[in-house]
């Protein structure tokens, strides 16, 4: 009979992971508010350059995913995240001190580089603490830092820009990352074996349960075999398209709202926050029932389909009914976020421990590339057409294809 697992894990690991990922996400999402709140005018940034700057973060993020994930998996996720926290907090604060576009280009790219290992490192760390039956919920609590951060950041950024300007917004929101690095180092335990707050019996219970799970996964010799598998290839394409939709939405939502006449930056902040309230509810619901049923795909593709239909509906409005169009964007935003927990739980259940770190890095790097393409293409289409409507069709198409790809991803026993 298997020993019960200690519930204290949820209180000692999840809050620290949540806050850490929240700080990381803060530094990538506030750029859209700065662009809408005076930065473009102060630095004489064109619409085309804004698109490049919005997407450069993800280009840096793309290139360093796999090396970071490999280090986290085979060395130490704790050390890697500690260094990343200090570096990204410093770079984020430095964004508020730039005086020209070339400096901003370098900082945006480097921000992506130093943050690139955080997501896969966190997923690897959680996989060392939580079992298959818990993993979707654990991942959701981590990724919840994404919509929760955008929720409060949307409101706070509007007030900071209004009262202090965009420069101080970056500085104030960057410094906490540096401080938190030392809290992270003190509070987090990388594995159950290192946790001083667990008894020896509790450590053994967790390790035995996780080891038993590995026995049911088909062995994979190396990264090459893992990366060539049908499941991993499909998930790479899937996450590329999904991320294109997510970050095309996230990076440009403030500008979409601000484009309405007589819309001030504070109101823009409040309205930009609403989709993330729905996202939080959807993420909790999807992760709970995904763990309960152990059917990951059922809690991925329907949400992405809803998002695609919502984007098409927003396109059909053509700006004639702002509030109805806005309601559809709220629905799209909530639906885009809901499946994250089940998706990353599915990924960790496809591959054995020796290669799962690299696979997470590969899939996440393709997501970063999709984010780069999405942020850039939405800005490009907006500048080319003079409106946001063409970009709605782009986002709808990308997310619709991602939804359909979910249905053909192989189950773990079919890997190879």
């Amino acid at each position: 009979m298997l020993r019960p697992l200690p519930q204290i894990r949820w209180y000692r690991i999840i809050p620290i992971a949540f806050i850490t990922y929240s700080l990381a996400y803060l530094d990538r999402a506030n750029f859209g508010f700065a662009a809408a709140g005076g930065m473009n005018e102060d630095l004489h940034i064109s619409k085309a350059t804004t698109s490049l700057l919005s997407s450069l973060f993800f280009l840096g993020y793309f290139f360093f995913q796999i090396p970071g994930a490999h280090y986290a998996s085979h060395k130490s996720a704790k050390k890697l995240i500690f260094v990343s926290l200090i570096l990204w907090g410093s770079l984020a604060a430095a964004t508020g001190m730039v005086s020209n576009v070339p400096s901003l280009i370098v900082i945006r790219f480097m921000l992506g580089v130093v943050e690139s290992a955080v997501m896969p490192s966190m997923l690897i760390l959680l996989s060392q603490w939580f079992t298959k039956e818990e993993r979707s919920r654990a991942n959701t609590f981590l990724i919840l830092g994404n919509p929760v951060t955008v929720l409060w950041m949307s409101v706070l950024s509007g007030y900071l820009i209004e009262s202090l300007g965009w420069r101080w917004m970056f500085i104030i929101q960057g410094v906490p990352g540096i401080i938190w690095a030392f809290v992270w180092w003190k509070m987090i335990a990388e594995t159950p074996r290192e946790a001083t707050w667990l008894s020896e019996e509790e450590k053994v219970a967790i390790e035995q349960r996780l080891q038993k799970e590995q026995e049911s996964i088909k062995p994979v010799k190396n990264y090459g075999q893992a990366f060539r598998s049908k499941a991993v290839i499909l998930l790479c394409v899937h996450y590329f398209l999904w991320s294109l939709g997510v970050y095309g939405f996230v990076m440009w939502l403030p500008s979409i709202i601000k484009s309405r006449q007589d819309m001030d930056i504070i109101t823009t902040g409040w309205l930009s926050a609403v989709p993330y309230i729905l996202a939080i509810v959807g993420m909790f619901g999807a992760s709970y029932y995904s763990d309960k049923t152990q059917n990951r795909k059922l809690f991925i593709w329907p949400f992405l389909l809803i998002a695609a239909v919502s984007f098409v509906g927003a396109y059909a409005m053509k700006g004639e009914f702002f509030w109805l169009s806005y309601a559809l964007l709220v629905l799209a935003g909530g639906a885009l976020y809901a499946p994250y927990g089940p998706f990353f739980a599915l990924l960790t259940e496809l591959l054995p421990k020796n290669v799962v770190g690299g696979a997470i890095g590969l899939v996440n790097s393709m997501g970063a590339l999709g984010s780069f393409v999405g942020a850039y293409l939405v800005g490009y289409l907006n500048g080319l057409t003079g409106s946001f409507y063409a970009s709605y069709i782009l986002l709808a198409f990308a997310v619709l294809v991602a939804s359909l790809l979910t249905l053909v991803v192989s189950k773990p026993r079919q890997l190879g």
Side-chain angles (χ1 to χ4, degrees):
M1 183 176 178
L2 295 173
R3 300 175 185 175
L5 298 174
Q7 291 301 305
I8 192 175
R9 295 168 300 147
W10 293 93
Y11 309 116
R12 296 298 297 262
I13 300 297
I14 293 297
I16 304 300
F18 171 83
I19 294 172
T20 303
Y21 188 62
S22 295
L23 291 172
Y25 199 82
L26 170 65
D27 297 329
R28 75 181 71 168
N30 57 12
F31 186 82
F33 281 89
M39 181 180 67
N40 288 1
E41 291 79 5
D42 292 348
L43 298 181
H44 307 292
I45 302 173
S46 66
K47 288 185 177 180
T49 305
T50 300
S51 299
L52 176 64
L53 288 167
S54 298
S55 54
L56 263 179
F57 172 92
F58 301 106
L59 194 59
Y61 202 86
F62 167 73
F63 283 115
F64 291 88
Q65 282 283 308
I66 296 176
H70 178 80
Y71 182 89
S73 180
H74 293 83
K75 299 291 184 179
S76 173
K78 178 178 178 177
K79 290 179 182 178
L80 191 57
I81 292 173
F82 172 75
V83 173
S84 295
L85 275 163
I86 294 174
L87 291 176
W88 89 55
S90 301
L91 287 166
T95 308
M97 305 174 193
V98 298
S99 57
N100 55 68
V101 174
S103 298
L104 193 55
I105 288 174
V106 173
I107 288 175
R108 290 294 295 171
F109 180 80
M110 290 306 301
L111 260 176
V113 170
V114 300
E115 287 190 30
S116 62
V118 175
M119 181 63 169
S121 296
M122 285 292 194
L123 292 170
I124 290 165
L125 188 144
L126 292 183
S127 72
Q128 297 173 157
W129 279 98
F130 298 96
T131 66
K132 181 179 178 181
E133 291 75 20
E134 305 167 315
R135 204 161 290 147
S136 182
R137 281 169 291 161
N139 291 344
T140 292
F141 277 113
L142 168 66
I143 302 167
L144 202 62
N146 181 321
V148 168
T149 299
V150 180
L151 175 61
W152 65 261
M153 182 274 297
S154 297
V155 177
L156 178 62
S157 294
Y159 282 105
L160 287 175
I161 291 173
E162 180 72 15
S163 58
L164 300 173
W166 62 269
R167 292 184 180 277
W168 277 105
M169 178 202 71
F170 279 121
I171 295 169
I172 291 172
Q173 293 180 350
V175 170
I178 301 172
I179 299 171
W180 184 256
F182 299 94
V183 178
W184 163 267
W185 186 259
K186 178 70 175 177
M187 298 294 292
I188 202 69
E190 188 150 14
T191 65
R193 184 55 52 187
E194 298 175 10
T196 57
W197 38 269
L198 287 176
S199 67
E200 191 63 30
E201 291 76 13
E202 289 172 328
K203 294 176 183 179
V204 171
I206 299 170
E207 290 170 347
Q208 286 181 341
R209 187 76 64 90
L210 293 174
Q211 181 59 39
K212 188 174 181 62
E213 286 181 5
Q214 288 294 308
E215 295 172 1
S216 65
I217 301 176
K218 183 178 178 180
V220 176
K221 294 180 181 179
N222 51 45
Y223 285 144
Q225 184 181 353
F227 292 174
R228 290 192 302 271
S229 71
K230 178 183 175 182
V232 172
I233 292 171
L234 286 174
L235 287 175
C236 283
V237 178
H238 176 281
Y239 201 46
F240 173 92
L241 294 168
W242 181 8
S243 298
L244 189 159
V246 170
Y247 287 98
F249 173 84
V250 169
M251 298 299 292
W252 289 98
L253 182 63
S255 295
I256 291 172
I257 296 172
K258 186 72 165 52
S259 66
R260 177 179 164 88
Q261 287 185 340
D262 303 323
M263 185 69 70
D264 60 72
I265 192 66
I266 292 178
T267 306
T268 297
W270 280 102
L271 292 178
S272 296
V274 176
Y276 304 103
I277 299 175
L278 184 61
I280 293 167
V281 175
M283 290 177 75
F284 273 123
S287 65
Y288 175 80
Y289 287 105
S290 169
D291 277 346
K292 188 173 183 179
T293 65
Q294 288 296 293
N295 188 337
R296 306 302 187 192
K297 294 196 288 186
L298 183 61
F299 296 94
I300 300 173
W301 72 264
F303 287 103
L304 299 183
L305 181 60
I306 290 170
V309 172
S310 299
F311 282 131
V312 172
Y315 169 80
M317 297 295 105
K318 294 285 188 175
E320 296 179 12
F321 306 97
F322 174 81
W323 291 110
L324 181 56
S325 177
Y326 170 73
L328 287 168
L329 291 177
V330 169
L331 181 59
L336 283 172
Y337 277 94
Y340 272 115
F343 177 80
F344 283 107
L346 174 65
L347 179 57
T348 58
E349 292 161 12
L350 286 172
L351 296 164
K353 189 175 182 180
N354 67 308
V355 294
V356 74
I360 290 173
L362 178 65
V363 172
N364 214 38
S365 70
M366 293 307 296
L369 186 60
S371 303
F372 170 80
V373 172
Y376 182 79
L377 280 184
V378 169
Y380 175 79
L381 288 173
N382 296 344
L384 184 67
T385 63
S387 72
F388 296 96
Y389 309 124
S391 62
Y392 293 156
I393 295 300
L394 169 68
L395 301 181
F397 176 78
V399 177
L400 175 62
V401 176
S403 174
L404 297 176
L405 283 176
T406 312
L407 299 174
V408 296
V409 173
S410 301
K411 294 180 180 180
R413 65 175 180 272
Q414 296 171 318
L415 181 64

